[in-house]
Short mmCIF file of all heavy atoms in Angstrom, two decimals:
data_model
loop_
_atom_site.label_atom_id
_atom_site.label_comp_id
_atom_site.label_asym_id
_atom_site.label_seq_id
_atom_site.Cartn_x
_atom_site.Cartn_y
_atom_site.Cartn_z
N ARG A 372 -158.63 -141.48 63.06
CA ARG A 372 -157.57 -142.00 62.18
C ARG A 372 -157.94 -143.37 61.61
O ARG A 372 -157.54 -143.71 60.50
CB ARG A 372 -156.26 -142.09 62.97
CG ARG A 372 -155.06 -142.46 62.11
CD ARG A 372 -153.75 -142.18 62.80
NE ARG A 372 -153.57 -142.98 64.00
CZ ARG A 372 -153.45 -142.47 65.22
NH1 ARG A 372 -153.52 -141.17 65.41
NH2 ARG A 372 -153.28 -143.27 66.26
N ASN A 373 -158.74 -144.13 62.39
CA ASN A 373 -159.17 -145.46 61.95
C ASN A 373 -160.57 -145.45 61.34
O ASN A 373 -161.18 -146.52 61.19
CB ASN A 373 -159.12 -146.44 63.12
CG ASN A 373 -157.71 -146.75 63.56
OD1 ASN A 373 -156.87 -147.15 62.76
ND2 ASN A 373 -157.41 -146.55 64.84
N ASN A 374 -161.05 -144.26 61.00
CA ASN A 374 -162.37 -144.12 60.36
C ASN A 374 -163.48 -144.78 61.17
O ASN A 374 -164.41 -145.38 60.62
CB ASN A 374 -162.34 -144.71 58.94
CG ASN A 374 -161.39 -143.98 58.02
OD1 ASN A 374 -161.35 -142.74 58.02
ND2 ASN A 374 -160.61 -144.72 57.24
N GLY A 375 -163.39 -144.68 62.50
CA GLY A 375 -164.43 -145.21 63.36
C GLY A 375 -164.33 -146.70 63.65
O GLY A 375 -165.21 -147.25 64.33
N ASN A 376 -163.30 -147.36 63.15
CA ASN A 376 -163.15 -148.81 63.38
C ASN A 376 -162.76 -149.03 64.84
O ASN A 376 -161.65 -148.75 65.27
CB ASN A 376 -162.07 -149.38 62.46
CG ASN A 376 -161.97 -150.88 62.53
OD1 ASN A 376 -161.96 -151.45 63.61
ND2 ASN A 376 -161.91 -151.53 61.39
N LYS A 377 -163.72 -149.57 65.61
CA LYS A 377 -163.53 -149.67 67.06
C LYS A 377 -162.50 -150.75 67.43
O LYS A 377 -161.73 -150.58 68.37
CB LYS A 377 -164.87 -149.94 67.73
CG LYS A 377 -165.91 -148.84 67.47
CD LYS A 377 -167.22 -149.18 68.12
CE LYS A 377 -168.33 -148.24 67.66
NZ LYS A 377 -168.65 -148.41 66.21
N ALA A 378 -162.54 -151.88 66.73
CA ALA A 378 -161.59 -152.95 67.06
C ALA A 378 -160.16 -152.49 66.83
O ALA A 378 -159.27 -152.73 67.67
CB ALA A 378 -161.90 -154.18 66.21
N GLN A 379 -159.92 -151.82 65.70
CA GLN A 379 -158.57 -151.34 65.41
C GLN A 379 -158.15 -150.24 66.38
O GLN A 379 -157.00 -150.18 66.81
CB GLN A 379 -158.52 -150.83 63.97
CG GLN A 379 -157.12 -150.59 63.45
CD GLN A 379 -157.10 -150.37 61.95
OE1 GLN A 379 -157.99 -150.84 61.24
NE2 GLN A 379 -156.12 -149.66 61.46
N THR A 380 -159.11 -149.39 66.75
CA THR A 380 -158.83 -148.33 67.72
C THR A 380 -158.44 -148.92 69.06
O THR A 380 -157.46 -148.49 69.70
CB THR A 380 -160.07 -147.42 67.89
OG1 THR A 380 -160.36 -146.79 66.63
CG2 THR A 380 -159.83 -146.37 68.94
N ALA A 381 -159.18 -149.93 69.51
CA ALA A 381 -158.88 -150.57 70.80
C ALA A 381 -157.49 -151.20 70.78
O ALA A 381 -156.73 -151.08 71.76
CB ALA A 381 -159.94 -151.62 71.12
N ARG A 382 -157.14 -151.85 69.68
CA ARG A 382 -155.83 -152.50 69.58
C ARG A 382 -154.71 -151.46 69.67
O ARG A 382 -153.71 -151.66 70.34
CB ARG A 382 -155.72 -153.28 68.28
CG ARG A 382 -156.60 -154.53 68.23
CD ARG A 382 -156.43 -155.22 66.88
NE ARG A 382 -157.46 -156.23 66.70
CZ ARG A 382 -157.42 -157.45 67.24
NH1 ARG A 382 -156.39 -157.79 68.00
NH2 ARG A 382 -158.38 -158.32 67.03
N GLN A 383 -154.88 -150.34 68.95
CA GLN A 383 -153.84 -149.32 68.95
C GLN A 383 -153.70 -148.62 70.29
O GLN A 383 -152.61 -148.16 70.67
CB GLN A 383 -154.12 -148.30 67.84
CG GLN A 383 -153.93 -148.87 66.44
CD GLN A 383 -154.11 -147.84 65.35
OE1 GLN A 383 -154.23 -146.64 65.61
NE2 GLN A 383 -154.15 -148.30 64.10
N LEU A 384 -154.79 -148.55 71.04
CA LEU A 384 -154.75 -147.93 72.36
C LEU A 384 -154.27 -148.91 73.44
O LEU A 384 -153.99 -148.50 74.56
CB LEU A 384 -156.14 -147.41 72.74
CG LEU A 384 -156.61 -146.16 71.97
CD1 LEU A 384 -158.07 -145.86 72.30
CD2 LEU A 384 -155.74 -144.96 72.29
N GLY A 385 -154.23 -150.21 73.10
CA GLY A 385 -153.78 -151.21 74.07
C GLY A 385 -154.82 -151.56 75.11
O GLY A 385 -154.49 -151.89 76.24
N ILE A 386 -156.11 -151.49 74.71
CA ILE A 386 -157.20 -151.82 75.63
C ILE A 386 -158.13 -152.80 74.95
O ILE A 386 -158.07 -153.00 73.73
CB ILE A 386 -158.00 -150.56 76.06
CG1 ILE A 386 -158.58 -149.84 74.82
CG2 ILE A 386 -157.11 -149.62 76.88
CD1 ILE A 386 -159.43 -148.64 75.15
N SER A 387 -159.03 -153.40 75.73
CA SER A 387 -160.02 -154.30 75.15
C SER A 387 -161.10 -153.49 74.46
O SER A 387 -161.29 -152.30 74.74
CB SER A 387 -160.66 -155.18 76.23
OG SER A 387 -161.52 -154.41 77.04
N ARG A 388 -161.83 -154.16 73.56
CA ARG A 388 -162.89 -153.46 72.84
C ARG A 388 -164.01 -153.03 73.79
O ARG A 388 -164.59 -151.97 73.63
CB ARG A 388 -163.45 -154.38 71.74
CG ARG A 388 -164.44 -153.69 70.83
CD ARG A 388 -164.65 -154.48 69.57
NE ARG A 388 -165.68 -153.89 68.74
CZ ARG A 388 -165.96 -154.28 67.51
NH1 ARG A 388 -165.27 -155.26 66.97
NH2 ARG A 388 -166.91 -153.71 66.81
N MET A 389 -164.30 -153.85 74.82
CA MET A 389 -165.35 -153.48 75.76
C MET A 389 -164.94 -152.27 76.58
O MET A 389 -165.76 -151.41 76.89
CB MET A 389 -165.67 -154.67 76.67
CG MET A 389 -167.03 -154.58 77.30
SD MET A 389 -168.31 -154.62 76.03
CE MET A 389 -169.69 -153.94 76.96
N THR A 390 -163.65 -152.19 76.93
CA THR A 390 -163.16 -151.01 77.64
C THR A 390 -163.32 -149.77 76.78
O THR A 390 -163.68 -148.69 77.27
CB THR A 390 -161.68 -151.20 78.04
OG1 THR A 390 -161.57 -152.32 78.91
CG2 THR A 390 -161.14 -149.97 78.74
N LEU A 391 -163.08 -149.92 75.48
CA LEU A 391 -163.26 -148.80 74.56
C LEU A 391 -164.71 -148.33 74.57
O LEU A 391 -164.99 -147.13 74.62
CB LEU A 391 -162.84 -149.21 73.14
CG LEU A 391 -163.15 -148.17 72.04
CD1 LEU A 391 -162.37 -146.89 72.29
CD2 LEU A 391 -162.83 -148.74 70.67
N TYR A 392 -165.65 -149.28 74.55
CA TYR A 392 -167.07 -148.89 74.57
C TYR A 392 -167.40 -148.12 75.85
O TYR A 392 -168.17 -147.15 75.82
CB TYR A 392 -167.96 -150.12 74.44
CG TYR A 392 -168.12 -150.61 73.03
CD1 TYR A 392 -167.44 -151.76 72.59
CD2 TYR A 392 -168.92 -149.95 72.10
CE1 TYR A 392 -167.56 -152.20 71.29
CE2 TYR A 392 -169.04 -150.38 70.81
CZ TYR A 392 -168.37 -151.52 70.40
OH TYR A 392 -168.49 -151.96 69.11
N ARG A 393 -166.84 -148.56 76.97
CA ARG A 393 -167.11 -147.86 78.23
C ARG A 393 -166.54 -146.44 78.21
O ARG A 393 -167.18 -145.49 78.67
CB ARG A 393 -166.51 -148.64 79.41
CG ARG A 393 -167.29 -149.90 79.75
CD ARG A 393 -166.98 -150.35 81.18
NE ARG A 393 -165.59 -150.73 81.33
CZ ARG A 393 -165.12 -151.96 81.14
NH1 ARG A 393 -165.94 -152.93 80.79
NH2 ARG A 393 -163.84 -152.22 81.31
N LEU A 394 -165.34 -146.28 77.64
CA LEU A 394 -164.74 -144.96 77.54
C LEU A 394 -165.55 -144.05 76.63
O LEU A 394 -165.75 -142.86 76.92
CB LEU A 394 -163.30 -145.06 77.03
CG LEU A 394 -162.27 -145.64 78.01
CD1 LEU A 394 -160.91 -145.76 77.33
CD2 LEU A 394 -162.16 -144.79 79.26
N LEU A 395 -166.03 -144.60 75.51
CA LEU A 395 -166.85 -143.80 74.60
C LEU A 395 -168.10 -143.30 75.30
O LEU A 395 -168.52 -142.14 75.11
CB LEU A 395 -167.23 -144.64 73.37
CG LEU A 395 -166.09 -145.01 72.41
CD1 LEU A 395 -166.59 -145.99 71.36
CD2 LEU A 395 -165.53 -143.76 71.74
N GLN A 396 -168.69 -144.17 76.11
CA GLN A 396 -169.91 -143.78 76.83
C GLN A 396 -169.59 -142.75 77.92
O GLN A 396 -170.30 -141.75 78.06
CB GLN A 396 -170.55 -145.01 77.45
CG GLN A 396 -171.90 -144.74 78.10
CD GLN A 396 -172.55 -146.01 78.60
OE1 GLN A 396 -171.89 -147.03 78.79
NE2 GLN A 396 -173.85 -145.96 78.80
N GLN A 397 -168.52 -142.98 78.67
CA GLN A 397 -168.15 -142.05 79.73
C GLN A 397 -167.79 -140.68 79.19
O GLN A 397 -168.12 -139.65 79.80
CB GLN A 397 -166.97 -142.62 80.52
CG GLN A 397 -167.30 -143.86 81.34
CD GLN A 397 -166.04 -144.54 81.88
OE1 GLN A 397 -164.94 -143.99 81.76
NE2 GLN A 397 -166.22 -145.72 82.47
N MET A 398 -167.11 -140.65 78.03
CA MET A 398 -166.67 -139.39 77.45
C MET A 398 -167.72 -138.77 76.52
O MET A 398 -167.48 -137.73 75.91
CB MET A 398 -165.35 -139.60 76.69
CG MET A 398 -164.20 -140.04 77.57
SD MET A 398 -162.70 -140.38 76.61
CE MET A 398 -161.57 -140.89 77.91
N GLU A 399 -168.86 -139.47 76.42
CA GLU A 399 -169.98 -138.97 75.59
C GLU A 399 -169.54 -138.69 74.16
O GLU A 399 -169.80 -137.63 73.59
CB GLU A 399 -170.60 -137.73 76.22
CG GLU A 399 -171.17 -137.97 77.60
CD GLU A 399 -171.82 -136.73 78.20
OE1 GLU A 399 -171.59 -135.62 77.66
OE2 GLU A 399 -172.54 -136.86 79.21
N ILE A 400 -168.85 -139.67 73.59
CA ILE A 400 -168.38 -139.55 72.21
C ILE A 400 -169.36 -140.27 71.29
O ILE A 400 -169.65 -141.46 71.49
CB ILE A 400 -166.97 -140.15 72.04
CG1 ILE A 400 -165.96 -139.33 72.86
CG2 ILE A 400 -166.55 -140.17 70.58
CD1 ILE A 400 -164.56 -139.90 72.85
N ASP A 401 -169.88 -139.56 70.32
CA ASP A 401 -170.81 -140.12 69.34
C ASP A 401 -170.00 -140.79 68.23
O ASP A 401 -169.38 -140.11 67.42
CB ASP A 401 -171.71 -139.04 68.77
CG ASP A 401 -172.80 -139.59 67.83
OD1 ASP A 401 -172.73 -140.79 67.49
OD2 ASP A 401 -173.69 -138.82 67.45
N THR A 402 -169.98 -142.13 68.20
CA THR A 402 -169.16 -142.83 67.21
C THR A 402 -169.67 -142.63 65.80
O THR A 402 -168.91 -142.76 64.84
CB THR A 402 -169.12 -144.34 67.53
OG1 THR A 402 -170.46 -144.84 67.59
CG2 THR A 402 -168.43 -144.59 68.86
N GLU A 403 -170.93 -142.31 65.64
CA GLU A 403 -171.45 -142.07 64.28
C GLU A 403 -170.83 -140.79 63.71
O GLU A 403 -170.60 -140.66 62.53
CB GLU A 403 -172.98 -141.95 64.32
CG GLU A 403 -173.68 -143.20 64.78
CD GLU A 403 -173.40 -144.39 63.86
OE1 GLU A 403 -173.23 -144.16 62.65
OE2 GLU A 403 -173.33 -145.51 64.37
#
Side-chain angles (χ1 to χ4, degrees):
R372 187 164 64 243
N373 291 306
N374 296 317
N376 187 314
K377 300 179 191 66
Q379 192 168 334
T380 297
R382 290 179 192 280
Q383 290 184 9
L384 289 172
I386 59 177
S387 72
R388 187 164 175 172
M389 201 63 199
T390 299
L391 173 63
Y392 279 105
R393 286 200 297 269
L394 288 176
L395 291 173
Q396 186 176 19
Q397 292 169 8
M398 297 177 181
E399 299 181 346
I400 295 175
D401 185 350
T402 56
E403 297 299 327

